[in-house]
């Protein structure tokens, strides 16, 4: 069993532990980092977009967050629960990061969807089979959503997904 197969099997185990034994492990899981109240209030609409397309998401929310929308595919967790956040990262396939880099994200095998920040960020190109994530140039909710949709579409093609995971 190669490294990628081990990662896929470990992710499947973590998804079922976090989301229930009936969760189909080949379903992509999106981790959304809203740990700051400012980011949450500016971009919380992305959760409604993810829910509308049926994407399972694990959203880290600030303790002060009020009026969380009840969405079918969105699971909330408080920003101060590091153990739960680590479990979510271990289960997630894609991580949306708006503000800061999370080094543990790479250890968990998540593909980043984040703000483009220079030469270390190479947007995945399926024709060249190269890239280490899905990036957006301006920090708007809808550019982040578009990059997330590109990631979710790529997830449907195991060969391409393996390429982006190995480069991430």
């Amino acid at each position: 069993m190669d490294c990628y197969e081990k990662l896929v099997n470990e992710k499947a185990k973590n998804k079922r532990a976090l989301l229930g034994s009936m969760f189909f492990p080949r379903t992509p899981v999106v981790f959304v980092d809203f740990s700051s109240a400012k980011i949450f209030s500016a971009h919380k609409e992305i959760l409604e977009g993810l829910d509308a397309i049926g994407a399972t998401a694990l959203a880290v929310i600030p303790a002060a967050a009020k009026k969380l929308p009840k969405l079918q595919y969105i699971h909330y967790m408080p920003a101060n629960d590091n153990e739960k956040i680590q479990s979510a990262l271990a289960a997630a396939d894609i991580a949306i990061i708006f503000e800061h880099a999370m080094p543990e994200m790479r250890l968990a095998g998540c593909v980043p969807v984040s703000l483009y920040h220079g030469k270390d960020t190479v947007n995945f190109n399926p024709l060249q089979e190269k890239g280490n994530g899905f990036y957006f140039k301006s920090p708007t909710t809808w550019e982040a959503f578009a990059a997330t949709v590109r990631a979710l579409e790529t997830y449907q093609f195991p060969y391409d997904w393996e390429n982006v995971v190995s480069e991430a």
Side-chain angles (χ1 to χ4, degrees):
M1 184 179 301
D2 72 356
C3 189
Y4 179 72
E5 287 179 52
K6 286 181 186 175
L7 176 70
V8 169
N9 289 337
E10 190 65 27
K11 289 249 179 234
K13 186 173 87 175
N14 293 331
K15 287 176 186 180
R16 286 195 165 139
L18 191 64
L19 299 167
S21 62
M22 296 302 290
F23 189 80
F24 183 64
R26 189 65 190 125
T27 302
V29 173
V30 179
F31 174 89
V32 187
D33 179 21
F34 285 134
S35 49
S36 101
K38 181 180 100 178
I39 295 296
F40 179 69
S41 65
H43 299 290
K44 63 184 173 188
E45 294 166 327
I46 201 167
L47 296 177
E48 292 172 3
L50 291 170
D51 194 64
I53 63 173
T56 300
L58 306 168
V60 176
I61 55 163
K66 305 245 185 310
K67 295 184 182 178
L68 297 174
K70 291 188 182 200
L71 302 169
Q72 182 176 358
Y73 299 103
I74 310 302
H75 305 269
Y76 300 106
M77 65 194 68
N80 59 0
D81 190 343
N82 287 336
E83 187 175 314
K84 188 121 179 172
I85 290 171
Q86 288 302 317
S87 296
L89 281 167
D93 302 291
I94 299 164
I96 304 172
I97 310 297
F98 286 100
E99 191 168 67
H100 55 83
M102 294 180 65
E104 63 271 16
M105 176 184 65
R106 294 184 192 268
L107 298 175
C110 292
V111 171
V113 172
S114 70
L115 193 60
Y116 178 80
H117 57 273
K119 65 181 180 178
D120 294 338
T121 54
V122 180
N123 219 355
F124 182 71
N125 181 331
L127 297 176
Q128 296 177 344
E129 299 175 359
K130 295 215 180 292
N132 59 10
F134 298 86
Y135 301 100
F136 46 96
K137 291 195 177 178
S138 66
T140 68
T141 300
W142 301 116
E143 281 204 33
F145 184 73
T148 304
V149 169
R150 286 195 317 271
L152 289 166
E153 287 296 318
T154 302
Y155 186 88
Q156 302 306 315
F157 298 93
Y159 178 79
D160 288 336
W161 191 252
E162 183 176 352
N163 283 333
V164 74
V165 167
S166 66
E167 291 210 22

